[in-house]
């Protein structure tokens, strides 16, 4: 059985990966939106799609981070024998 410290470090690393992927994805979307800025129809479509994708990526990242928080809390309860 892993210790609480092992679980906490794994959760911290996974949260970093989640938010780094979120930041990278949004940066790529901004670069693509900037590249299509001069083509009016394509620019409008990409801005709409990227706005929707931004909200979906943010929603998913928050849900994944919350799931990791619940996992860490469960591990802490297990280590502390239910006393929190």
């Amino acid at each position: 059985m892993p210790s609480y410290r092992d679980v906490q470090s794994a959760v911290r690393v996974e949260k970093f990966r989640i938010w780094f992927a979120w930041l990278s994805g949004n940066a790529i979307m901004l670069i693509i939106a900037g590249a299509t800025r001069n083509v009016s129809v394509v620019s409008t479509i990409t801005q709409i799609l990227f706005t929707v994708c931004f909200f979906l990526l943010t929603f998913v990242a928050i849900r994944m981070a919350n799931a990791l928080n619940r996992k860490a809390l469960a591990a802490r309860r297990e280590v502390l024998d239910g006393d929190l």
Side-chain angles (χ1 to χ4, degrees), residues 25 36 71:
T36 61
K71 180 179 180 179

Side-chain angles (χ1 to χ4, degrees), residues 51-65:
T51 302
V52 170
C53 286
F54 169 78
F55 288 117
L56 289 176
L57 284 173
T58 303
F59 176 74
V60 169
I62 290 171
R63 285 192 43 103
M64 289 174 72

Side-chain angles (χ1 to χ4, degrees), residues 10-57:
V11 166
R12 192 175 310 114
V13 168
E14 287 302 314
K15 280 185 180 179
F16 176 76
R17 287 180 181 172
I18 289 168
W19 290 110
F20 183 74
W22 176 84
L23 183 65
S24 300
N26 285 323
I28 291 170
M29 287 191 301
L30 283 174
I31 291 169
I32 293 171
T36 61
R37 180 179 56 209
N38 295 329
V39 183
S40 62
V41 174
V42 175
S43 176
T44 304
I45 293 171
T46 56
Q47 286 176 4
I48 292 169
L49 287 175
F50 289 162
T51 302
V52 170
C53 286
F54 169 78
F55 288 117
L56 289 176
L57 284 173

